[in-house]
Structure formats: structure tokens, C-alpha cells
Amino acid sequence: MKILGIETSCDETAVAIVTDDKKILSHNILSQMEEHKDYGGVVPEIAARAHIEVIDTLITKTMDEAGVKKYSDLDAIAVTAGPGLIGGVIVGVMVAKAISSAAGIPIIAVNHLEGHALTVRLTEDVEFPFLLLLVSGGHCQFLSVEGVNKYQKLGGTIDDALGEAFDKVAKMLKLGYPGGPIVEKLALEGDENRFKLPRSLKGRKGCDFSFSGLKTAVKREVDSIENITEQDIKDICASFQKCVGDIIKDRLKNAIQMYEDLHPNGKRLVIAGGVAANKYINKTIDEITNEYGYTRHSPPIGLCTDNGAMIAWAGVERMKEGLVDDISFVPRARWPLFADS
Ligand code: KG4
Ligand code: ZN
């Protein structure tokens, strides 16, 4: 089975072709970082236009590289149908619908979050169920993943997503966008104990997150330094990252207990979404997974952030379950993986 996946929900135009025996035949990502750099975040209108400009050639290139001569040689086309910036999502969905109807192949509407959730099964043999920590620019939640299309939410952020917190701290420090990788790099040379920052919700029941107090505290520290030096910036990055690590450790312990009430024997933790690329956070999490006898899995760095392979793979998983869609489905800006989020 060969499936083409299209991802256009944020600032990456990404296309890939993946097989059901876990081969990525081709994989292309065009980042719009340059277009959004001056704004310190993604500008939806600019993003949608940039997707339109490149998507056709990117699909052709991906087909050529995979050696797939015509669309009807594909078993299906999978596309991110939400959640995300609606202009971009519409671009991907319209292109996918056109190919599906012209070539007469099935179409699969993929939830972007399900793409992140299942990617690890493309690169490793991780069985269901597993505990998932999904941490990206727009999402931050613990889920119990019971199977394809079967998710239960255990907790989530009550304000900012973790990736968003990284991006906002980077913006305060004028470091550019996206902030996560830059903050992680600078933190390597910083003093993580210099600034005392709040561990929000630490010690509280449940596994929700809150990062807005932390963000405000970082802002206060930045504003209090008169002539900020490179070393000050590194120390702030390191103290922020240490604080995030402490919060995650505390929340993860509770999430494990909640998850074990549902699945006492599924001792697997998967970290997915852009922030899963962060080595420091993964190392911190290992302290807890080792303590509780869990294995930790995350996709390789290049597949943690948005990409087409994750959408193609979710398409494979859904197709195997018979979950194909009618072409009349609508793109959605908001689309929780389950009813109550
Ligand atoms: O999954 P993703 O590519 O897009 C969304 O669906 O949001 O995640 C992007 C987010 C950004 O907020 C970015 O700053 C963050 O993931 N990120 C990181 C790292 N790499 C990307 N955060 C912390 N450390 C990283 N190394
Ligand atoms: Zn994402």
C-alpha cells in the first residue's frame, strides 16, 4: 500500500509517500520560516499564500522521487483536514480532493494531532495502548492512546501550549522564530539555577499544565535587566528550560497514575509534536520513565516537527481500519481528537 500525505496546517508545506511496510519512499518539506521571521510568529494570510505557490511542484517532486508515475498508482491520498490555520488547511484539502477525484483514489481526512500521535509507529514497533505526551506549538496534552481513532484525554494546558511558551520566551529575547530550537541551543551554555521561576501547578492533582505564569515571570526578569548580555540570555534560556523540565516531571507522575488506572500493563510513553525534538526535555523525562519502568519513544527529530510522512502514515493506519472519507468532508480550524477537549 502506497499513500501520499499532504500537510499544510501551519508554516510548513510538506508532502511524503509512505508504504504500509513502513518505508518513506520520498519526503519533502518546505519551511516558510523566512516569510514569517520578521513577525516573530506565523502570519496566517502569508502562510496560505506561500502554500499555494509551492504545493504543486512539491507534490510532483515527491511523486518523481518515489518513482510513482501516476496518481492512480497510489492507494489513497491523505491530507491534514485540521486543526490548524484554516487558510493553509483549505489549500491542502482542495489539492487532495482534486487529485482524489481526478485519479479516482480514496481520500483520507487526517487530524493533524493523530498524525503526531501515530508517527512513532512508522519508525518503531510501538504497540497500543500507550501514554502520549503531545507537545507542539498549538497543543499540549496527555492522552491515553488505545488504538487508531481511539483516544482519551487525561489532561491538557489551561493556557499556553509548551511550544508556544518556548516561542514567546524567544520573542521576548529577540531570538527569532521558531523559538524552541534556539532556546534549547542557548540553554546549553547557561546557568539553569540563576533565575527562580514558578513551577505552575506543581504538587496539584491531575496532569494539566499552565505556562502563562512562567511566561510572565520570564518577562519580568528580562525587563529587570538593564543592558542584557549574551550570558544573561543564555542563563534565562537555561533557567526557563529547567523550570519546564521540573513541571513536566511533576505532571508526568500524575499522568502515569491516571493512565495506569486504565491500562496497568501498557508501560510505554510516547512524546510527540515539535517539542519532542528537545533533547534536554527527553533526558529529564527519562528520570521518570526509568523510575516507573516505562519505555520512552519519540520519532526521530526530523519527524517530530510538522511533516508529510506523519500524515501519510496516519492515512496508512486509518486505511487499514477501513477509515476512508467521503470527498464532501470540510476543513476544520478546530478539531479535537475527542469530544470533550
Ligand atoms: O509540531 P510542530 O512542528 O507544529 C505544531 O503543530 O505546532 O511544533 C512546532 C513547535 C514550535 O513552537 C517550536 O518552537 C517547538 O515546536 N519546537 C521546540 C523544539 N523544536 C521545535 N521546542 C523546544 N525545543 C525544541 N528543540
Ligand atoms: Zn504539529
Side-chain angles (χ1 to χ4, degrees), residues 7 9-10 12 112-113 116 134-139 273-274 304-307 310:
E7 156 60 38
S9 69
C10 193
E12 259 107 25
H112 181 86
L113 305 178
H116 278 305
L134 179 56
V135 271
S136 70
H139 301 275
C304 285
T305 44
D306 293 349
N307 64 86
M310 73 186 208

Side-chain angles (χ1 to χ4, degrees), residues 111 141 143 149-153 332 334-341:
N111 182 309
Q141 47 198 228
L143 300 168
N149 217 23
K150 295 192 193 85
Y151 303 89
Q152 279 197 60
K153 187 177 180 185
R332 299 164 71 169
R334 282 181 49 78
W335 182 8
L337 267 179
F338 32 81
D340 66 340
S341 74

Side-chain angles (χ1 to χ4, degrees), residues 288-308:
I288 306 298
T289 46
N290 291 340
E291 185 184 331
Y292 285 83
Y294 274 57
T295 51
R296 173 179 63 77
H297 311 267
S298 37
I301 287 184
L303 296 180
C304 285
T305 44
D306 293 349
N307 64 86

Side-chain angles (χ1 to χ4, degrees), residues 11-12 30-38 41 177-178 181:
D11 59 341
E12 259 107 25
L30 270 183
S31 170
Q32 306 173 356
M33 241 176 256
E34 274 305 307
E35 280 90 335
H36 302 290
K37 202 174 72 203
D38 295 342
Y177 175 86

Side-chain angles (χ1 to χ4, degrees), residues 114-305:
E114 184 166 56
H116 278 305
L118 299 178
T119 310
V120 76
R121 287 165 50 85
L122 166 63
T123 51
E124 285 181 55
D125 293 324
V126 180
E127 281 171 38
F128 297 122
F130 54 81
L131 172 62
L132 172 70
L133 172 60
L134 179 56
V135 271
S136 70
H139 301 275
C140 185
Q141 47 198 228
F142 279 111
L143 300 168
S144 165
V145 178
E146 270 119 51
V148 178
N149 217 23
K150 295 192 193 85
Y151 303 89
Q152 279 197 60
K153 187 177 180 185
L154 304 176
T157 182
I158 54 178
D159 40 56
D160 294 345
L162 182 52
E164 191 182 354
F166 269 94
D167 294 336
K168 286 179 177 168
V169 166
K171 195 172 179 182
M172 284 172 213
L173 297 168
K174 303 189 175 61
L175 298 176
Y177 175 86
I182 313 169
V183 170
E184 180 180 16
K185 186 156 174 261
L186 293 174
L188 289 172
E189 290 168 22
D191 173 3
E192 62 182 22
N193 297 314
R194 175 164 161 206
F195 296 99
K196 303 279 166 280
L197 299 168
R199 272 65 176 157
S200 311
L201 301 182
K202 190 169 175 185
R204 300 261 194 95
K205 255 179 69 182
C207 59
D208 284 339
F209 289 102
S210 166
F211 294 109
S212 80
L214 169 58
K215 185 185 64 190
T216 311
V218 171
K219 176 98 177 70
R220 213 176 302 124
E221 297 292 357
V222 173
D223 290 346
S224 73
I225 302 171
E226 218 163 285
N227 291 313
I228 198 157
T229 65
E230 242 171 69
Q231 192 56 50
D232 292 331
I233 290 175
K234 289 175 180 168
D235 293 348
I236 289 170
C237 290
S239 302
F240 166 76
Q241 202 170 246
K242 165 106 185 300
C243 181
V244 165
D246 284 352
I247 292 171
I248 292 180
K249 277 196 282 184
D250 175 73
R251 307 284 78 198
L252 177 57
K253 284 185 199 167
N254 290 0
I256 286 178
Q257 273 154 18
M258 291 165 77
Y259 169 74
E260 288 195 350
D261 287 344
L262 301 168
H263 303 291
N265 299 318
K267 290 180 180 286
R268 294 173 280 272
L269 172 72
V270 172
I271 315 173
V275 185
N278 187 296
K279 290 202 188 71
Y280 175 89
I281 290 178
N282 279 315
K283 214 169 80 217
T284 317
I285 285 177
D286 281 341
E287 291 172 30
I288 306 298
T289 46
N290 291 340
E291 185 184 331
Y292 285 83
Y294 274 57
T295 51
R296 173 179 63 77
H297 311 267
S298 37
I301 287 184
L303 296 180
C304 285
T305 44

